[in-house]
Amino acid sequence: MKSTGDIAISDFDLFISDLHLCADRPEITASFLDFLRNSATQARSLYILGDLFEYWAGDDEVEDSHHQQVIFALRDLTNSGVAVYLLHGNRDFLIGSDFCNIANVTLLKDPTIIDLFGTKTLLSHGDALCTDDVAYQTFRQQVRDPKWQADFLNQSLATRKQQVEAIRQRSEQEKSGKSETIMDVNDEAVAALLKSHAYPPLLIHGHTHRPNKHTLQIDGHSTTRWVLGDWYEQGSYLLCNVNGCQSIGL
Ligand code: LP5
Ligand code: MN
């Protein structure tokens, strides 16, 4: 830990999600690299709760020059003493051990419980909570199947990218016909998730691109649900320390 005498200056963790990094949006990548080289260096840990990349078609994407800037900046951050944790999102769930080893980040399963300065905290990307979106959940079940993934990864990168493009188009088309309510988390799914983890007082997730702080009462237990924002227009992060959490824009 970095410290000045008795006063610890790295007693906070940072949470981000839904950056959707890609070569087509260089300004967002530049903003993220700046975040990694400045604000993030003061943290104890950085948690990336999914959709770091616009999409990830397999770990041979580590050869991509845009992605390498991100990978090496993450590695530099961990070398400076900040732990970096990653959850899969619905767009980069094919991130595997090659990426994690090169970037020196630790992959966490979705959902994961952490001890956040004494507060039991549940972390998730959030897409699994959108249970009203039946078409998406069917698609999710298919592409999260290990056999499906092995077959998919067995194809050339060019073929995989073509298939990803087709899915992206189909997804955009279908999303335009879905209501905002369908694409938000389902309250009962949130309650069931919290119950199955013995009602943690804090839940942090992304995916819906609706940054907010919700206060819930589930079976007599209070929980705060923080929803992280995306980085399409402006980057933002959640900073948590022993006193609580606050959302900060870049
Ligand atoms: O990401 P976001 O927020 O824009 O939309 C999601 C859901 N869409 C997706 C698709 C991704 O955005 C883009 C693809 C990522 C590629 C991952 C790489 C590896 C997989 C390769 C697959 C070939 O996740 C969207 C939700 C929305 O969140 C809100 O929750 O609504 O879901 C959809 O729109 C999905 C459609 O409803 C169903 C699509 C059915 C496609 C069926 C074809 C499957 C066969 C694939 C074989 C090639
Ligand atoms: Mn997502």
Side-chain angles (χ1 to χ4, degrees), residues 19-35 66 69 231-235 250:
L19 292 91
H20 294 222
L21 301 177
C22 61
D24 293 346
R25 285 193 289 269
E27 65 290 350
I28 309 292
T29 302
S31 171
F32 180 55
L33 295 177
D34 181 67
F35 167 77
H66 166 271
Q69 294 179 74
W231 282 47
Y232 279 133
E233 301 289 325
Q234 194 202 356
L250 290 174

PDB file of all heavy atoms in Angstrom, residues 19-35 66 69 231-235 250:
ATOM      1  N   LEU A  19     -17.132   0.006 -21.239  1.00  0.00           N
ATOM      2  CA  LEU A  19     -16.308   0.986 -21.965  1.00  0.00           C
ATOM      3  C   LEU A  19     -16.441   0.780 -23.473  1.00  0.00           C
ATOM      4  O   LEU A  19     -16.316   1.723 -24.246  1.00  0.00           O
ATOM      5  CB  LEU A  19     -14.838   0.841 -21.545  1.00  0.00           C
ATOM      6  CG  LEU A  19     -14.584   1.249 -20.105  1.00  0.00           C
ATOM      7  CD1 LEU A  19     -14.721   0.076 -19.161  1.00  0.00           C
ATOM      8  CD2 LEU A  19     -13.227   1.873 -19.952  1.00  0.00           C
ATOM      9  N   HIS A  20     -16.658  -0.465 -23.871  1.00  0.00           N
ATOM     10  CA  HIS A  20     -16.871  -0.803 -25.288  1.00  0.00           C
ATOM     11  C   HIS A  20     -15.722  -0.279 -26.150  1.00  0.00           C
ATOM     12  O   HIS A  20     -15.939   0.343 -27.190  1.00  0.00           O
ATOM     13  CB  HIS A  20     -18.211  -0.260 -25.781  1.00  0.00           C
ATOM     14  CG  HIS A  20     -19.404  -0.903 -25.130  1.00  0.00           C
ATOM     15  ND1 HIS A  20     -20.524  -1.269 -25.813  1.00  0.00           N
ATOM     16  CD2 HIS A  20     -19.646  -1.262 -23.855  1.00  0.00           C
ATOM     17  CE1 HIS A  20     -21.398  -1.819 -24.993  1.00  0.00           C
ATOM     18  NE2 HIS A  20     -20.885  -1.809 -23.783  1.00  0.00           N
ATOM     19  N   LEU A  21     -14.498  -0.538 -25.704  1.00  0.00           N
ATOM     20  CA  LEU A  21     -13.326  -0.010 -26.412  1.00  0.00           C
ATOM     21  C   LEU A  21     -13.157  -0.649 -27.782  1.00  0.00           C
ATOM     22  O   LEU A  21     -13.324  -1.866 -27.930  1.00  0.00           O
ATOM     23  CB  LEU A  21     -12.057  -0.265 -25.585  1.00  0.00           C
ATOM     24  CG  LEU A  21     -12.024   0.336 -24.183  1.00  0.00           C
ATOM     25  CD1 LEU A  21     -10.737  -0.079 -23.468  1.00  0.00           C
ATOM     26  CD2 LEU A  21     -12.158   1.852 -24.228  1.00  0.00           C
ATOM     27  N   CYS A  22     -12.845   0.180 -28.765  1.00  0.00           N
ATOM     28  CA  CYS A  22     -12.562  -0.328 -30.113  1.00  0.00           C
ATOM     29  C   CYS A  22     -11.788   0.736 -30.873  1.00  0.00           C
ATOM     30  O   CYS A  22     -11.796   1.912 -30.495  1.00  0.00           O
ATOM     31  CB  CYS A  22     -13.840  -0.706 -30.859  1.00  0.00           C
ATOM     32  SG  CYS A  22     -14.961   0.654 -31.114  1.00  0.00           S
ATOM     33  N   ALA A  23     -11.141   0.321 -31.949  1.00  0.00           N
ATOM     34  CA  ALA A  23     -10.304   1.241 -32.723  1.00  0.00           C
ATOM     35  C   ALA A  23     -11.120   2.365 -33.351  1.00  0.00           C
ATOM     36  O   ALA A  23     -10.596   3.443 -33.632  1.00  0.00           O
ATOM     37  CB  ALA A  23      -9.558   0.460 -33.799  1.00  0.00           C
ATOM     38  N   ASP A  24     -12.437   2.148 -33.535  1.00  0.00           N
ATOM     39  CA  ASP A  24     -13.290   3.169 -34.165  1.00  0.00           C
ATOM     40  C   ASP A  24     -13.599   4.345 -33.244  1.00  0.00           C
ATOM     41  O   ASP A  24     -14.150   5.354 -33.693  1.00  0.00           O
ATOM     42  CB  ASP A  24     -14.635   2.561 -34.597  1.00  0.00           C
ATOM     43  CG  ASP A  24     -14.459   1.564 -35.721  1.00  0.00           C
ATOM     44  OD1 ASP A  24     -13.371   1.555 -36.322  1.00  0.00           O
ATOM     45  OD2 ASP A  24     -15.407   0.793 -35.970  1.00  0.00           O
ATOM     46  N   ARG A  25     -13.329   4.194 -31.940  1.00  0.00           N
ATOM     47  CA  ARG A  25     -13.601   5.304 -31.002  1.00  0.00           C
ATOM     48  C   ARG A  25     -12.309   5.620 -30.242  1.00  0.00           C
ATOM     49  O   ARG A  25     -12.209   5.391 -29.030  1.00  0.00           O
ATOM     50  CB  ARG A  25     -14.731   4.920 -30.023  1.00  0.00           C
ATOM     51  CG  ARG A  25     -16.125   4.949 -30.651  1.00  0.00           C
ATOM     52  CD  ARG A  25     -17.222   4.889 -29.607  1.00  0.00           C
ATOM     53  NE  ARG A  25     -17.303   3.592 -28.989  1.00  0.00           N
ATOM     54  CZ  ARG A  25     -18.066   2.592 -29.426  1.00  0.00           C
ATOM     55  NH1 ARG A  25     -18.844   2.769 -30.477  1.00  0.00           N
ATOM     56  NH2 ARG A  25     -18.072   1.434 -28.809  1.00  0.00           N
ATOM     57  N   PRO A  26     -11.309   6.160 -30.965  1.00  0.00           N
ATOM     58  CA  PRO A  26      -9.992   6.365 -30.340  1.00  0.00           C
ATOM     59  C   PRO A  26     -10.015   7.309 -29.149  1.00  0.00           C
ATOM     60  O   PRO A  26      -9.196   7.192 -28.238  1.00  0.00           O
ATOM     61  CB  PRO A  26      -9.134   6.935 -31.485  1.00  0.00           C
ATOM     62  CG  PRO A  26     -10.102   7.428 -32.502  1.00  0.00           C
ATOM     63  CD  PRO A  26     -11.348   6.624 -32.366  1.00  0.00           C
ATOM     64  N   GLU A  27     -10.981   8.239 -29.127  1.00  0.00           N
ATOM     65  CA  GLU A  27     -11.009   9.211 -28.022  1.00  0.00           C
ATOM     66  C   GLU A  27     -11.380   8.531 -26.700  1.00  0.00           C
ATOM     67  O   GLU A  27     -10.903   8.915 -25.641  1.00  0.00           O
ATOM     68  CB  GLU A  27     -11.944  10.401 -28.340  1.00  0.00           C
ATOM     69  CG  GLU A  27     -13.419  10.119 -28.483  1.00  0.00           C
ATOM     70  CD  GLU A  27     -13.843   9.322 -29.736  1.00  0.00           C
ATOM     71  OE1 GLU A  27     -13.013   9.118 -30.656  1.00  0.00           O
ATOM     72  OE2 GLU A  27     -15.001   8.871 -29.773  1.00  0.00           O
ATOM     73  N   ILE A  28     -12.228   7.476 -26.776  1.00  0.00           N
ATOM     74  CA  ILE A  28     -12.605   6.754 -25.546  1.00  0.00           C
ATOM     75  C   ILE A  28     -11.402   5.938 -25.055  1.00  0.00           C
ATOM     76  O   ILE A  28     -11.121   5.888 -23.850  1.00  0.00           O
ATOM     77  CB  ILE A  28     -13.802   5.792 -25.787  1.00  0.00           C
ATOM     78  CG1 ILE A  28     -14.963   6.512 -26.465  1.00  0.00           C
ATOM     79  CG2 ILE A  28     -14.243   5.134 -24.483  1.00  0.00           C
ATOM     80  CD1 ILE A  28     -15.645   7.544 -25.635  1.00  0.00           C
ATOM     81  N   THR A  29     -10.705   5.317 -26.000  1.00  0.00           N
ATOM     82  CA  THR A  29      -9.507   4.555 -25.621  1.00  0.00           C
ATOM     83  C   THR A  29      -8.479   5.493 -24.984  1.00  0.00           C
ATOM     84  O   THR A  29      -7.886   5.159 -23.949  1.00  0.00           O
ATOM     85  CB  THR A  29      -8.915   3.847 -26.852  1.00  0.00           C
ATOM     86  OG1 THR A  29      -9.917   2.991 -27.398  1.00  0.00           O
ATOM     87  CG2 THR A  29      -7.696   3.015 -26.475  1.00  0.00           C
ATOM     88  N   ALA A  30      -8.303   6.681 -25.567  1.00  0.00           N
ATOM     89  CA  ALA A  30      -7.333   7.644 -25.014  1.00  0.00           C
ATOM     90  C   ALA A  30      -7.745   8.036 -23.597  1.00  0.00           C
ATOM     91  O   ALA A  30      -6.905   8.133 -22.689  1.00  0.00           O
ATOM     92  CB  ALA A  30      -7.262   8.873 -25.915  1.00  0.00           C
ATOM     93  N   SER A  31      -9.035   8.238 -23.404  1.00  0.00           N
ATOM     94  CA  SER A  31      -9.538   8.622 -22.080  1.00  0.00           C
ATOM     95  C   SER A  31      -9.304   7.491 -21.069  1.00  0.00           C
ATOM     96  O   SER A  31      -8.910   7.735 -19.914  1.00  0.00           O
ATOM     97  CB  SER A  31     -11.029   8.943 -22.229  1.00  0.00           C
ATOM     98  OG  SER A  31     -11.631   9.128 -21.026  1.00  0.00           O
ATOM     99  N   PHE A  32      -9.492   6.245 -21.508  1.00  0.00           N
ATOM    100  CA  PHE A  32      -9.269   5.099 -20.611  1.00  0.00           C
ATOM    101  C   PHE A  32      -7.778   4.949 -20.283  1.00  0.00           C
ATOM    102  O   PHE A  32      -7.406   4.719 -19.127  1.00  0.00           O
ATOM    103  CB  PHE A  32      -9.822   3.819 -21.249  1.00  0.00           C
ATOM    104  CG  PHE A  32      -9.643   2.600 -20.388  1.00  0.00           C
ATOM    105  CD1 PHE A  32     -10.125   2.573 -19.090  1.00  0.00           C
ATOM    106  CD2 PHE A  32      -8.985   1.476 -20.870  1.00  0.00           C
ATOM    107  CE1 PHE A  32      -9.964   1.448 -18.277  1.00  0.00           C
ATOM    108  CE2 PHE A  32      -8.821   0.346 -20.075  1.00  0.00           C
ATOM    109  CZ  PHE A  32      -9.314   0.339 -18.776  1.00  0.00           C
ATOM    110  N   LEU A  33      -6.920   5.115 -21.277  1.00  0.00           N
ATOM    111  CA  LEU A  33      -5.476   4.993 -21.031  1.00  0.00           C
ATOM    112  C   LEU A  33      -5.026   6.069 -20.047  1.00  0.00           C
ATOM    113  O   LEU A  33      -4.230   5.820 -19.140  1.00  0.00           O
ATOM    114  CB  LEU A  33      -4.693   5.100 -22.349  1.00  0.00           C
ATOM    115  CG  LEU A  33      -4.946   3.969 -23.366  1.00  0.00           C
ATOM    116  CD1 LEU A  33      -4.170   4.223 -24.655  1.00  0.00           C
ATOM    117  CD2 LEU A  33      -4.585   2.600 -22.787  1.00  0.00           C
ATOM    118  N   ASP A  34      -5.596   7.265 -20.193  1.00  0.00           N
ATOM    119  CA  ASP A  34      -5.277   8.358 -19.268  1.00  0.00           C
ATOM    120  C   ASP A  34      -5.765   8.013 -17.845  1.00  0.00           C
ATOM    121  O   ASP A  34      -5.047   8.239 -16.861  1.00  0.00           O
ATOM    122  CB  ASP A  34      -5.950   9.640 -19.774  1.00  0.00           C
ATOM    123  CG  ASP A  34      -5.640  10.809 -18.886  1.00  0.00           C
ATOM    124  OD1 ASP A  34      -4.461  11.201 -18.851  1.00  0.00           O
ATOM    125  OD2 ASP A  34      -6.544  11.310 -18.189  1.00  0.00           O
ATOM    126  N   PHE A  35      -6.957   7.447 -17.772  1.00  0.00           N
ATOM    127  CA  PHE A  35      -7.501   7.015 -16.468  1.00  0.00           C
ATOM    128  C   PHE A  35      -6.571   5.978 -15.820  1.00  0.00           C
ATOM    129  O   PHE A  35      -6.259   6.067 -14.625  1.00  0.00           O
ATOM    130  CB  PHE A  35      -8.904   6.429 -16.706  1.00  0.00           C
ATOM    131  CG  PHE A  35      -9.483   5.664 -15.556  1.00  0.00           C
ATOM    132  CD1 PHE A  35     -10.014   6.316 -14.446  1.00  0.00           C
ATOM    133  CD2 PHE A  35      -9.516   4.265 -15.577  1.00  0.00           C
ATOM    134  CE1 PHE A  35     -10.554   5.599 -13.380  1.00  0.00           C
ATOM    135  CE2 PHE A  35     -10.058   3.538 -14.526  1.00  0.00           C
ATOM    136  CZ  PHE A  35     -10.574   4.213 -13.420  1.00  0.00           C
ATOM    137  N   HIS A  66      -4.738  -2.034 -31.482  1.00  0.00           N
ATOM    138  CA  HIS A  66      -5.565  -1.225 -30.561  1.00  0.00           C
ATOM    139  C   HIS A  66      -5.655  -1.899 -29.203  1.00  0.00           C
ATOM    140  O   HIS A  66      -5.437  -1.280 -28.154  1.00  0.00           O
ATOM    141  CB  HIS A  66      -6.978  -1.015 -31.131  1.00  0.00           C
ATOM    142  CG  HIS A  66      -7.942  -0.497 -30.106  1.00  0.00           C
ATOM    143  ND1 HIS A  66      -8.691  -1.341 -29.291  1.00  0.00           N
ATOM    144  CD2 HIS A  66      -8.235   0.768 -29.711  1.00  0.00           C
ATOM    145  CE1 HIS A  66      -9.413  -0.605 -28.464  1.00  0.00           C
ATOM    146  NE2 HIS A  66      -9.155   0.673 -28.697  1.00  0.00           N
ATOM    147  N   GLN A  69      -2.600  -1.721 -26.806  1.00  0.00           N
ATOM    148  CA  GLN A  69      -2.411  -0.507 -25.993  1.00  0.00           C
ATOM    149  C   GLN A  69      -3.100  -0.663 -24.642  1.00  0.00           C
ATOM    150  O   GLN A  69      -2.575  -0.286 -23.593  1.00  0.00           O
ATOM    151  CB  GLN A  69      -3.057   0.697 -26.674  1.00  0.00           C
ATOM    152  CG  GLN A  69      -2.475   1.144 -27.976  1.00  0.00           C
ATOM    153  CD  GLN A  69      -3.292   2.327 -28.489  1.00  0.00           C
ATOM    154  OE1 GLN A  69      -3.188   3.438 -27.979  1.00  0.00           O
ATOM    155  NE2 GLN A  69      -4.126   2.079 -29.466  1.00  0.00           N
ATOM    156  N   TRP A 231     -19.218   4.329 -21.209  1.00  0.00           N
ATOM    157  CA  TRP A 231     -18.209   5.349 -21.545  1.00  0.00           C
ATOM    158  C   TRP A 231     -18.426   5.913 -22.950  1.00  0.00           C
ATOM    159  O   TRP A 231     -17.496   6.470 -23.538  1.00  0.00           O
ATOM    160  CB  TRP A 231     -16.795   4.737 -21.435  1.00  0.00           C
ATOM    161  CG  TRP A 231     -16.288   4.598 -20.028  1.00  0.00           C
ATOM    162  CD1 TRP A 231     -16.962   4.088 -18.953  1.00  0.00           C
ATOM    163  CD2 TRP A 231     -14.987   4.980 -19.528  1.00  0.00           C
ATOM    164  NE1 TRP A 231     -16.172   4.108 -17.825  1.00  0.00           N
ATOM    165  CE2 TRP A 231     -14.944   4.645 -18.152  1.00  0.00           C
ATOM    166  CE3 TRP A 231     -13.844   5.544 -20.101  1.00  0.00           C
ATOM    167  CZ2 TRP A 231     -13.818   4.870 -17.348  1.00  0.00           C
ATOM    168  CZ3 TRP A 231     -12.719   5.765 -19.305  1.00  0.00           C
ATOM    169  CH2 TRP A 231     -12.721   5.434 -17.942  1.00  0.00           C
ATOM    170  N   TYR A 232     -19.640   5.759 -23.513  1.00  0.00           N
ATOM    171  CA  TYR A 232     -19.870   6.226 -24.893  1.00  0.00           C
ATOM    172  C   TYR A 232     -19.625   7.726 -25.035  1.00  0.00           C
ATOM    173  O   TYR A 232     -18.918   8.166 -25.921  1.00  0.00           O
ATOM    174  CB  TYR A 232     -21.303   5.903 -25.335  1.00  0.00           C
ATOM    175  CG  TYR A 232     -21.496   4.478 -25.810  1.00  0.00           C
ATOM    176  CD1 TYR A 232     -22.579   3.731 -25.346  1.00  0.00           C
ATOM    177  CD2 TYR A 232     -20.628   3.897 -26.722  1.00  0.00           C
ATOM    178  CE1 TYR A 232     -22.773   2.429 -25.784  1.00  0.00           C
ATOM    179  CE2 TYR A 232     -20.816   2.601 -27.164  1.00  0.00           C
ATOM    180  CZ  TYR A 232     -21.884   1.874 -26.685  1.00  0.00           C
ATOM    181  OH  TYR A 232     -22.078   0.593 -27.105  1.00  0.00           O
ATOM    182  N   GLU A 233     -20.248   8.525 -24.150  1.00  0.00           N
ATOM    183  CA  GLU A 233     -20.121   9.983 -24.240  1.00  0.00           C
ATOM    184  C   GLU A 233     -19.008  10.494 -23.339  1.00  0.00           C
ATOM    185  O   GLU A 233     -18.222  11.335 -23.735  1.00  0.00           O
ATOM    186  CB  GLU A 233     -21.447  10.648 -23.824  1.00  0.00           C
ATOM    187  CG  GLU A 233     -22.649  10.249 -24.665  1.00  0.00           C
ATOM    188  CD  GLU A 233     -22.588  10.847 -26.063  1.00  0.00           C
ATOM    189  OE1 GLU A 233     -22.103  11.977 -26.207  1.00  0.00           O
ATOM    190  OE2 GLU A 233     -23.013  10.154 -27.011  1.00  0.00           O
ATOM    191  N   GLN A 234     -19.002   9.945 -22.106  1.00  0.00           N
ATOM    192  CA  GLN A 234     -18.033  10.416 -21.121  1.00  0.00           C
ATOM    193  C   GLN A 234     -17.722   9.276 -20.160  1.00  0.00           C
ATOM    194  O   GLN A 234     -18.651   8.564 -19.730  1.00  0.00           O
ATOM    195  CB  GLN A 234     -18.642  11.585 -20.326  1.00  0.00           C
ATOM    196  CG  GLN A 234     -17.631  12.355 -19.524  1.00  0.00           C
ATOM    197  CD  GLN A 234     -18.244  13.124 -18.358  1.00  0.00           C
ATOM    198  OE1 GLN A 234     -19.448  13.145 -18.170  1.00  0.00           O
ATOM    199  NE2 GLN A 234     -17.393  13.743 -17.564  1.00  0.00           N
ATOM    200  N   GLY A 235     -16.458   9.127 -19.818  1.00  0.00           N
ATOM    201  CA  GLY A 235     -16.077   8.082 -18.875  1.00  0.00           C
ATOM    202  C   GLY A 235     -16.530   8.416 -17.462  1.00  0.00           C
ATOM    203  O   GLY A 235     -16.696   9.588 -17.109  1.00  0.00           O
ATOM    204  N   LEU A 250     -15.372  11.682 -15.589  1.00  0.00           N
ATOM    205  CA  LEU A 250     -14.018  12.091 -16.002  1.00  0.00           C
ATOM    206  C   LEU A 250     -14.063  13.459 -16.675  1.00  0.00           C
ATOM    207  O   LEU A 250     -15.060  13.832 -17.266  1.00  0.00           O
ATOM    208  CB  LEU A 250     -13.436  11.061 -16.972  1.00  0.00           C
ATOM    209  CG  LEU A 250     -13.078   9.711 -16.357  1.00  0.00           C
ATOM    210  CD1 LEU A 250     -12.647   8.741 -17.446  1.00  0.00           C
ATOM    211  CD2 LEU A 250     -11.979   9.844 -15.310  1.00  0.00           C
TER     212      LEU A 250
END
